[in-house]
Amino acid sequence: MNIDDLCMGCMNELFGEEKCPNCGFYANTPQISPYLPLKSHIGDRYIIGKMISANSEGATYMGYDSVRNSPVTVREFLPEQFVTRTIDDPNLSVIEGCEELFQKYLGKFLDMWRKLARLRGLSALVPVVDIIESNNTAYVISEHIESITLREFLLKSQTGYLNWSKAKVLFMPVLSALSSIHGVGIIHGGINPDSLLIGRDGKLHLTGFSINEAHLENSDLTPEFFDGYTPLEQYGYNYNFGTWSDIYAFSAVIYRSLVGTVPQDAVSRSVNDQLIIPARYAEIIPIYVINALMNGMQIEPDDRTLDAETLREELSATPGNVVSSFSGSSVPPKPAQLEKTQPSVPEPQESSTAKTVLITFLIILITGLLAFGGYLTYEHFFADKPEQEPNDIVQEVKTFVVEDFRYGTASQNLTYNQILNSQQKRFKITVTEEYSSTVPENYIIEQSIAPGQEVAYGTELILTVSKGKEYVRVPDVMDYNVDRAKTTLEEAGFVVSVIEDANDGTHEENSVCQITPNAGENAEKGSTVCIHVYGQPPETEPESESETESETSFLGGLVGRLPDISDILSGG
């Protein structure tokens, strides 16, 4: 088929139309940069169509296999943080200084897809048909499946959710595929309703694979999270990432499919866990399925179902796996039926009279026991039974690694109340409080167990909680002598700074004339209070006797020489 006759949105024939009658894609729509231009060729065989999705690791395109004349999906390794691409050149240019990281992640990309290519026999995976290194990067070509996402499927269904009998048919093959990819060392890290596709055959397919760094907070790539499905450890909290991370996400997808709502996100749950199965759904979902989902969605990996095979057993109600650890509760299994191990032997028939006597005896016995008023207690019945030896009791002590709850750490900036809500099932928490000028109120200043230590559940943890800054009323030391003022302020908890002001001679030297902050105001304890004091008054020199006498004789002589006023008026 001529490439110009193909819609680059779905690879169906355009029939001369500008707008595709199948998918609505316009023929003249350009591809945005830095993605490959429409109708680009890879390996002289595959034609690039529109970009379908992208994250920090790469881009997925609609494609066409010109040899087999069939649509394909093309995944390009395109870490935009490390590379650039111009419109007229399909080759990637690695940014200077990023060469080592680019090669490192390219190697992981190729390793992951080569392993997936060897798992072609799994019906829940989309088969990989080719891997090509070109344009200074790598491409993975997979079969194209006409499908819709699980999210779209659920939204378009009449109820918005599925019953377990239908969901089981969809999800169990995916769980088998998940077990297989885990077996070859691949962790998906991004399972959500958009990464699961339902094909025309009604089967569910797991897609959306990326290297792990694209889904982890502390990596060189910008992480992609899916709230409600991404577990806590991928957000940068101090837990290990592993197979159990996919178990959380997969369990959350099943939860969404059975309940009809997106689960509460893991970060919110770590503060205030409100994840429940509403009563209307709990009545129709088998109890073993509820237990399996709750075990798979435990917030902390140590409490969570660790692998796909265990989750499969729990979802299949395999004996011994029907107890839930969700919120510390459990649902006991139904008592198993006891099998008879001896051959059946006809029992002698009792006469009706014998039965009547036996029943009467039992009634009298029970009545007599009740008359004791509870005297024969549990302990009385079993007082003569030998105590069980300690070696007969196998008690598993669950341990975990203590996090750093202190304010300002990279992994935790939670208030004490948030930590209490999330940790009170693990620790016996004791609180002490103290003021702090550096740690805000209600945040943790110190913890009694150092981060990184492994302890048993129920261990006492003493948390020192900040009361915030301590404020003290500034004493009124106006007119005090400087020494007395300093002593008073220092006893109140302040640092004192003294500033000397000019004294015109009308004030007492070293007396306080101004306070900053003002007296009576509240100021942080330990802060500085400035007091202004009058300095030394100016010195005044006394007049000498000789100067006084000289001045008097001078004035007297001057007066004697002045003409009389009457003489001036008369012209004399």
Side-chain angles (χ1 to χ4, degrees):
M1 182 179 293
N2 191 320
I3 188 174
D4 294 328
D5 296 331
L6 291 175
C7 167
M8 293 294 104
C10 63
M11 297 302 169
N12 286 309
E13 192 170 357
L14 281 173
F15 300 105
E17 299 288 337
E18 182 179 353
K19 179 182 178 181
C20 177
N22 181 60
C23 70
F25 186 80
Y26 283 91
N28 59 353
T29 302
Q31 190 91 284
I32 61 175
S33 179
Y35 307 113
L36 287 170
L38 297 175
K39 302 182 182 179
S40 298
H41 284 72
I42 302 298
D44 296 325
R45 174 174 177 173
Y46 304 104
I47 301 166
I48 296 296
K50 77 169 184 177
M51 188 272 291
I52 301 172
S53 63
N55 63 7
S56 62
E57 181 227 57
T60 301
Y61 305 91
M62 189 68 201
Y64 189 77
D65 185 345
S66 60
V67 174
R68 298 172 60 187
N69 292 321
S70 61
V72 292
T73 301
V74 180
R75 178 69 177 177
E76 178 184 33
F77 180 66
L78 181 63
E80 294 184 41
Q81 292 172 272
F82 306 146
V83 299
T84 59
R85 170 186 277 149
T86 59
I87 297 176
D88 55 353
D89 186 1
N91 291 293
L92 293 184
S93 297
V94 181
I95 298 171
E96 185 176 357
C98 298
E99 295 87 356
E100 185 176 346
L101 282 174
F102 178 83
Q103 290 300 325
K104 171 185 172 182
Y105 291 143
L106 174 60
K108 289 189 173 185
F109 177 87
L110 287 168
D111 179 65
M112 176 186 70
W113 282 106
R114 285 166 181 159
K115 289 178 178 178
L116 289 171
R118 292 193 286 269
L119 298 176
R120 287 182 58 89
L122 297 174
S123 62
L125 296 183
V126 179
V128 175
V129 298
D130 207 349
I131 298 176
I132 297 174
E133 294 186 59
S134 179
N135 297 336
N136 196 29
T137 186
Y139 300 88
V140 176
I141 291 82
S142 304
E143 291 183 6
H144 175 69
I145 299 175
E146 286 192 50
S147 59
I148 63 172
T149 66
L150 176 62
R151 182 181 65 83
E152 293 174 304
F153 177 78
L154 292 172
L155 291 175
K156 291 179 180 179
S157 66
Q158 291 183 346
T159 60
Y161 62 90
L162 305 174
N163 61 45
W164 172 238
S165 60
K166 292 181 179 179
K168 183 176 182 178
V169 174
L170 283 175
F171 290 115
M172 284 306 192
V174 181
L175 198 52
S176 295
L178 198 59
S179 179
S180 296
I181 68 171
H182 288 170
V184 297
I186 296 174
I187 310 298
H188 190 289
I191 297 174
N192 70 93
D194 283 318
S195 68
L196 290 159
L197 306 180
I198 297 182
R200 287 186 177 275
D201 57 1
K203 294 181 179 179
L204 202 58
H205 303 273
L206 180 59
T207 65
F209 287 91
S210 292
I211 61 175
N212 294 152
E213 285 77 6
H215 298 300
L216 295 175
E217 177 64 38
N218 299 319
S219 77
D220 299 296
L221 300 178
T222 302
E224 182 181 33
F225 298 139
F226 305 95
D227 286 346
Y229 307 98
T230 300
L232 195 64
E233 57 266 28
Q234 292 179 226
Y235 287 99
Y237 286 72
N238 190 26
Y239 300 110
N240 291 327
F241 171 73
T243 58
W244 47 88
S245 306
D246 281 346
I247 297 303
Y248 183 99
F250 192 72
S251 300
V253 169
I254 299 178
Y255 175 100
R256 161 66 184 93
S257 301
L258 297 180
V259 175
T261 57
V262 177
Q264 181 187 14
D265 69 273
V267 175
S268 298
R269 290 185 63 202
S270 70
V271 176
N272 183 16
D273 190 2
Q274 297 181 347
L275 182 67
I276 61 170
I277 301 287
R280 58 177 293 200
Y281 299 104
E283 294 175 355
I284 58 176
I285 301 174
I287 186 64
Y288 62 87
V289 174
I290 295 176
N291 291 335
L293 296 183
M294 295 303 100
N295 291 338
M297 293 180 69
Q298 287 294 308
I299 299 172
E300 297 180 13
D302 290 346
D303 301 329
R304 195 183 306 156
T305 299
L306 299 180
D307 57 76
E309 285 306 311
T310 303
L311 181 60
R312 165 185 285 281
E313 292 174 0
E314 293 181 347
L315 287 172
S316 303
T318 301
N321 290 294
V322 293
V323 178
S324 169
S325 58
F326 178 62
S327 298
S329 63
S330 62
V331 180
K334 294 180 180 179
Q337 296 294 326
L338 297 177
E339 296 182 359
K340 293 182 178 180
T341 57
Q342 297 181 352
S344 176
V345 178
E347 298 180 358
Q349 298 292 322
E350 296 180 354
S351 65
S352 59
T353 304
K355 289 182 179 179
T356 303
V357 172
L358 178 60
I359 292 172
T360 303
F361 174 76
L362 291 173
I363 293 174
I364 295 171
L365 177 62
I366 292 171
T367 304
L369 291 174
L370 293 175
F372 277 97
Y375 175 76
L376 295 178
T377 61
Y378 180 90
E379 288 80 5
H380 287 94
F381 278 111
F382 294 94
D384 297 330
K385 294 192 69 175
E387 293 185 1
Q388 193 173 21
E389 293 295 328
N391 292 335
D392 296 331
I393 302 173
V394 179
Q395 183 175 3
E396 181 183 359
V397 179
K398 295 186 68 177
T399 62
F400 59 94
V401 176
V402 178
E403 292 180 67
D404 194 343
F405 300 113
R406 295 169 297 178
Y407 176 75
T409 58
S411 61
Q412 293 288 351
N413 271 326
L414 303 179
T415 66
Y416 160 68
N417 293 329
Q418 293 170 329
I419 292 172
L420 179 63
N421 288 333
S422 64
Q423 301 296 324
Q424 59 184 347
K425 295 173 186 176
R426 304 171 76 189
F427 295 101
K428 177 184 176 183
I429 296 179
T430 303
V431 177
T432 60
E433 294 182 316
E434 65 180 48
Y435 290 105
S436 173
S437 60
T438 57
V439 179
E441 184 179 1
N442 206 29
Y443 284 84
I444 306 302
I445 301 172
E446 194 52 75
Q447 59 191 73
S448 61
I449 305 175
Q453 287 194 22
E454 186 172 350
V455 300
Y457 278 71
T459 300
E460 182 180 23
L461 174 66
I462 302 173
L463 297 176
T464 304
V465 181
S466 172
K467 296 168 66 175
K469 298 178 180 179
E470 182 178 7
Y471 288 88
V472 180
R473 181 177 174 274
V474 178
D476 187 357
V477 294
M478 286 291 291
D479 299 324
Y480 279 25
N481 174 275
V482 63
D483 292 332
R484 180 186 175 193
K486 284 184 65 176
T487 300
T488 303
L489 290 168
E490 288 171 351
E491 287 178 349
F494 296 107
V495 176
V496 181
S497 174
V498 180
I499 300 174
E500 187 174 293
D501 286 356
N503 188 348
D504 61 3
T506 61
H507 302 284
E508 182 181 349
E509 183 180 354
N510 287 330
S511 63
V512 177
C513 59
Q514 184 181 343
I515 312 169
T516 307
N518 295 327
E521 293 183 0
N522 287 326
E524 184 184 351
K525 190 173 183 178
S527 62
T528 300
V529 173
C530 293
I531 56 174
H532 294 248
V533 300
Y534 288 117
Q536 183 178 2
E539 294 184 3
T540 56
E541 297 182 3
E543 296 177 341
S544 65
E545 184 178 350
S546 58
E547 288 176 344
T548 304
E549 291 176 352
S550 174
E551 184 178 342
T552 302
S553 60
F554 171 76
L555 290 175
L558 182 62
V559 172
R561 293 196 299 270
L562 288 177
D564 188 80
I565 189 64
S566 59
D567 293 339
I568 297 174
L569 293 176
S570 63

